[in-house]
Amino acid sequence: MSNDCKVPLNQIDAMEQFGHGELHAPKQTMRVQVFDESDYEAIAKAQVVVEDDKALDFTKIDVYYLFWLRRILAEGEYRGDRTGTGTISMFGHVVMRADLRKNFPALTTKYVHFPAVDDELDWMKSGSSNIRSMKRNGTRIWDEWVIPGTEEYRGLSTNERVAKLSKEKQEDLASVEAMMREDGRSFEHIFEVKQTHLERAGIPDKELVAGELGRVYGTQWRYWEDTRVINVKEWEADPQGWQDKGYVVAGTMFNGYEIAITRKIDQITKIEKQIRDELLFQQGKLEKHSAGRRIILNGWNVAQLEEMALPPCHVLAQWYVSSEKDEDGKHFLDCEMFQRSGDFFLGIPFNMAQYSLLTCQLAHVTGMKARFFTHVIGDAHIYTNHVEQVKEQLTRDPFKYEHPQLEITGEFNSILEMKTGDCKLVNYQRYPSIKAPVAV
């Protein structure tokens, strides 16, 4: 079966960094066939054509990430956006797949801050809508989206503010303070000078410690609200049945013959049970169940989008319990996640690592082996103020470093028992981080 990849002439340079016109997969090499521009439409606007899925081994996620990064930059369309920044966007093309059996898909061509990946996932699993726990651990990724009026701050001492200066500026300030002391300046005068210096340096006198985001991600994962109005006779006919489903009576309607009932659905607990049930089915220990193709985590609650500081970007994930096993007899667990919107430079590497981590956690607690994570992205975009950073990353060799390994310490009955720090990356070698502004 052919493994040719058809790439238009103006994209061959996107492949050259991966081996002189060849896009290397770890198991085999895919030959690149160069087409003239007249063939552009015929090959669906440069979408890579692969007839054999096994040709895409995906054990080196940097290769595929950089390929799509380059294609979006070269072929994406310019679009305005809600942030006013502007994006270079591609829709309906981008799919990436990581093989979790061999390594963990943390990019090596720049730094992916795994402690923040782990901490945010722990926060989501908790079901909290407040960033307090993340702030306690030094994770600041949601600070800009806190709902106005819900912020909680704490004042910073002068020493804490000084510590936020660069090392060079700290040394300069220390020199100025030493000279003022030698001159016999008063404590009050020295204090005022330091405050002025800190204000000019843009160092705030307080820091955010908590704030609400509304009914975002984890709140939907753990406490999806289901409220409905029914005839009181329906409840009275089978009150225990309703209660077994988690419903409670919220109140009586004004007409007197209808009641409002409500429940909160814990999707994480439900998913764990579904995976275990499907595993039993695959092992021939459960005859009938309906979990197999319904193991889905959904964050897109249409009724509550306006109650969210930011609607979910990663909308829906589905897990697949394979009938195939590894050499130790463990069934494989796969995940596919759909992301409606992806900041390809800053967000996608983070999201890819996070759902891979979630899949590894689910496999760990259910006695399975995580295998594939497939990432499907709707609007994949590069912000216009990230272009220079993207170009820098594209100069880096995706084969210089090996991907790290994920290590989960301890035994757990549920991923809800896992906390920040229970999962660690081992041997994470990579290029330095590349700073870029967040579009809010």
Side-chain angles (χ1 to χ4, degrees):
M1 186 173 289
S2 170
N3 292 325
D4 288 356
C5 285
K6 302 177 181 180
V7 181
L9 194 60
N10 67 354
Q11 278 302 298
I12 192 63
D13 60 338
M15 316 294 266
E16 288 177 349
Q17 62 182 317
F18 304 144
H20 305 291
E22 294 180 334
L23 178 58
H24 289 277
K27 287 186 176 179
Q28 61 189 73
T29 299
M30 296 183 291
R31 299 185 303 280
V32 175
Q33 181 178 349
V34 181
F35 276 68
D36 294 328
E37 288 296 322
S38 60
D39 294 307
Y40 193 69
E41 293 294 332
I43 59 173
K45 295 185 177 180
Q47 187 171 10
V48 175
V49 178
V50 181
E51 296 181 6
D52 186 355
D53 183 61
K54 292 183 179 178
L56 298 181
D57 188 26
F58 292 97
T59 59
K60 192 62 181 173
I61 198 66
D62 281 85
V63 172
Y64 302 97
Y65 173 78
L66 293 182
F67 173 63
W68 284 115
L69 196 66
R70 184 64 174 267
R71 274 197 59 191
I72 295 168
L73 185 64
E75 299 179 31
E77 63 175 83
Y78 176 78
R79 289 167 59 88
D81 70 294
R82 63 171 178 81
T83 71
T85 307
T87 65
I88 303 166
S89 171
M90 182 176 282
F91 182 77
H93 287 256
V94 181
V95 179
M96 295 185 290
R97 196 182 198 190
D99 190 335
L100 306 178
R101 294 170 295 183
K102 301 179 180 180
N103 47 51
F104 188 83
L107 293 183
T108 63
T109 48
K110 71 172 182 180
Y111 177 51
V112 176
H113 189 46
F114 184 78
V117 171
D118 186 22
D119 191 37
E120 188 195 32
L121 179 59
D122 185 53
W123 168 73
M124 289 177 176
K125 291 186 302 182
S126 76
S128 176
S129 62
N130 196 296
I131 64 171
R132 187 185 304 278
S133 66
M134 286 191 289
K135 295 297 295 180
R136 194 180 298 124
N137 294 329
T139 301
R140 304 184 300 273
I141 55 180
W142 278 96
D143 287 12
E144 287 82 5
W145 284 277
V146 168
I147 297 172
T150 69
E151 307 96 330
E152 294 182 37
Y153 294 94
R154 77 172 185 88
L156 295 173
S157 68
T158 299
N159 288 339
E160 287 176 316
R161 296 177 70 195
V162 169
K164 293 181 179 294
L165 293 169
S166 66
K167 184 177 180 181
E168 181 181 355
K169 289 185 177 181
Q170 287 185 45
E171 292 173 351
D172 290 343
L173 183 58
S175 297
V176 170
E177 183 176 357
M179 287 189 292
M180 289 190 293
R181 291 186 186 280
E182 289 179 4
D183 291 344
R185 300 295 180 92
S186 67
F187 172 81
E188 289 78 10
H189 178 78
I190 295 173
F191 178 79
E192 289 178 3
V193 170
K194 290 177 72 173
Q195 297 302 310
T196 300
H197 186 92
L198 291 168
E199 289 173 6
R200 289 176 177 173
I203 305 300
D205 59 1
K206 61 182 181 181
E207 70 175 5
L208 185 70
V209 295
E212 284 290 329
L213 298 173
R215 297 195 59 79
V216 295
Y217 294 109
T219 309
Q220 303 299 338
W221 290 10
R222 299 296 311 283
Y223 307 112
W224 182 289
E225 290 185 354
D226 173 17
T227 301
R228 60 187 68 187
V229 175
I230 64 171
N231 191 296
V232 68
K233 292 181 180 180
E234 293 182 61
W235 178 273
E236 292 174 346
D238 187 17
Q240 190 60 51
W242 287 107
Q243 291 171 14
D244 289 344
K245 294 176 182 178
Y247 288 101
V248 295
V249 177
T252 302
M253 305 304 290
F254 290 113
N255 58 28
Y257 60 85
E258 290 181 318
I259 57 173
I261 60 173
T262 187
R263 65 174 175 171
K264 291 184 179 359
I265 300 171
D266 185 343
Q267 294 190 73
I268 295 295
T269 300
K270 186 174 182 179
I271 284 169
E272 288 183 334
K273 183 180 186 306
Q274 288 176 314
I275 291 174
R276 289 189 170 100
D277 284 350
E278 177 64 9
L279 185 59
L280 290 173
F281 175 76
Q282 293 292 343
Q283 294 171 343
K285 299 176 182 178
L286 187 64
E287 292 186 1
K288 183 180 179 181
H289 78 117
S290 59
R293 295 186 289 269
R294 304 178 187 180
I295 310 174
I296 290 176
L297 177 64
N298 184 13
W300 193 262
N301 188 336
V302 177
Q304 296 184 337
L305 292 179
E306 295 181 357
E307 299 175 40
M308 304 176 188
L310 184 69
C313 295
H314 35 101
V315 175
L316 182 144
Q318 180 176 2
W319 283 269
Y320 177 85
V321 176
S322 174
S323 60
E324 298 178 358
K325 305 175 185 177
D326 69 359
E327 60 275 10
D328 297 322
K330 291 184 176 181
H331 285 261
F332 291 117
L333 182 67
D334 301 335
C335 175
E336 180 171 312
M337 185 267 278
F338 171 70
Q339 185 159 348
R340 65 170 180 88
S341 173
D343 174 348
F344 218 79
F345 181 73
L346 282 182
I348 291 300
F350 195 94
N351 304 139
M352 186 163 50
Q354 194 165 70
Y355 274 81
S356 295
L357 174 59
L358 177 57
T359 301
C360 290
Q361 289 183 352
L362 285 167
H364 185 79
V365 301
T366 56
M368 300 180 68
K369 179 72 173 179
R371 183 173 59 176
F372 295 127
F373 168 63
T374 304
H375 199 170
V376 182
I377 305 163
D379 185 330
H381 51 267
I382 296 169
Y383 281 99
T384 53
N385 57 353
H386 293 172
V387 170
E388 294 306 312
Q389 291 91 332
V390 166
K391 290 179 179 178
E392 179 181 350
Q393 188 173 0
L394 287 170
T395 66
R396 296 178 172 183
D397 179 4
F399 296 103
K400 182 174 181 178
Y401 302 105
E402 292 297 322
H403 284 300
Q405 303 294 318
L406 180 70
E407 184 179 272
I408 300 179
T409 55
E411 296 297 325
F412 307 91
N413 295 316
S414 167
I415 64 171
L416 301 178
E417 298 174 3
M418 293 182 177
K419 301 302 177 186
T420 303
D422 288 330
C423 302
K424 295 181 175 63
L425 285 191
V426 180
N427 298 324
Y428 185 24
Q429 297 179 316
R430 37 74 188 180
Y431 282 90
S433 60
I434 304 175
K435 303 293 184 182
V438 177
V440 180

